[in-house]
DNA sequence: TTTGACCCCGTACCTGGGTACGGAGCTTAT
DNA sequence: ATAAGCTCCGTACCCAGGTACGGGGTCAAA
């Protein structure tokens, strides 16, 4: 299939496919002297793999690693996933802490609803 | 004080201060014909305000809004904070869902520890 | 065979939050 | 008064993950 059809099938932009080729996530098939490049269903599967990995939070760099490893090395694949998991857990904790503070401030603000705003006050005076 | 001293006091890079000036978060004091710009403690307080707001997850655009509102409008300030809170909650939920999936995959992988890797298999076959 | 849709390729641009560089002018301590 | 160190200013670059543009080649259906 052509790149346009591949893009539609995968639900990505044509430019994204070219970008992945530049990033080394997808091979660029040979272009016949007369004609355009053709893509196989395998490339489509690879694109879907990339999308699902992105939904799990993997970066393109990590996804390139996963693709290169393939079915071969469970251990190395798991190491990548564990690293991603650790990072996600850190981000969750950071966000939860922000949420707790923000939630408290918003509640206090709603209770008073008049200057001086506790949100502003907190940002001005919080201990460093 | 000079920009270098201000940067050291606030714990930010000089270039960051200039960047904030370009973004409209900080005013650029007039430069005397002979000499360099001088900054007041008020600018330092503003910088610290920005840093604390960043720690709560606010974007620079939002922080510019908070600074413009000042103590004036509790309601508008709260609207910004509520928006940030909603966004943070969404991100937490997304990350928690990623964590759940990843954690299950990593555990399954650890249990088997041989190809075909369940992580790779999952990325290949997940329903769209 | 023509016309409209599609592909190719290089390059530039986008968001967000900065960082780096380099030459010229200014200040400060000795 | 001179050297070291600072400031100023414009511009370019960084990360990630793309998106956009424009001129030329190609393909497919009427």
């Amino acid at each position: 299939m052509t790149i346009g059809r591949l893009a539609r099938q995968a639900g990505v932009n044509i430019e994204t496919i070219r970008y992945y080729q530049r990033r080394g996530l997808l091979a660029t098939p040979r272009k016949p002297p007369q004609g355009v490049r053709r893509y196989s269903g395998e490339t489509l599967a690879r694109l879907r793999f990339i999308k699902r990995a992105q939904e799990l939070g993997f970066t393109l760099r990590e996804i390139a690693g996963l693709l290169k490893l393939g079915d071969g090395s469970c251990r190395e694949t798991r190491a990548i996933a564990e690293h991603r998991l650790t990072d996600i857990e850190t981000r969750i904790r950071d966000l939860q802490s922000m949420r707790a503070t923000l939630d408290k401030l918003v509640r206090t603000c709603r209770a008073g609803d008049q200057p001086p705003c506790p949100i502003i006050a907190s940002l001005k005076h919080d201990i460093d």
Side-chain angles (χ1 to χ4, degrees), chain A:
Chain A
M1 75 195 107
T2 65
I3 196 172
R5 192 172 288 275
L6 174 65
R8 274 193 298 282
Q9 295 280 313
V12 303
N13 197 308
I14 288 178
E15 303 304 325
T16 303
I17 292 174
R18 297 203 213 279
Y19 175 65
Y20 289 170
Q21 291 174 336
R22 289 198 296 280
R23 291 284 308 249
L25 281 93
L26 295 177
T28 305
R30 265 190 304 285
K31 182 171 87 95
Q34 218 68 339
V36 304
R37 299 180 205 287
R38 302 286 167 169
Y39 296 84
S40 66
E42 213 171 316
T43 307
L44 178 55
R46 221 168 150 89
L47 266 173
R48 300 218 232 254
F49 182 105
I50 293 168
K51 287 191 82 183
R52 286 191 287 261
Q54 280 188 309
E55 282 160 19
L56 286 184
F58 289 103
T59 65
L60 290 186
R61 185 186 303 266
E62 288 168 337
I63 296 170
L66 293 175
L67 284 166
K68 200 148 53 147
L69 288 174
D71 265 336
S73 171
C74 231
R75 212 168 20 255
E76 291 177 76
T77 297
R78 194 168 65 230
I80 295 176
E82 279 166 345
H83 179 267
R84 177 60 23 226
L85 188 52
T86 303
D87 182 80
I88 285 173
E89 282 166 350
T90 302
R91 280 156 65 200
I92 288 175
R93 274 193 300 275
D94 288 351
L95 288 169
Q96 279 172 338
S97 146
M98 294 177 194
R99 175 177 63 180
T101 305
L102 265 181
D103 190 67
K104 208 184 309 178
L105 287 176
V106 166
R107 279 174 202 284
T108 310
C109 185
R110 272 201 281 258
D113 199 18
Q114 57 194 342
C117 181
I119 297 171
I120 298 295
S122 162
L123 289 171
K124 277 189 183 157
H125 297 307
D126 256 7
I127 30 120
D128 274 324

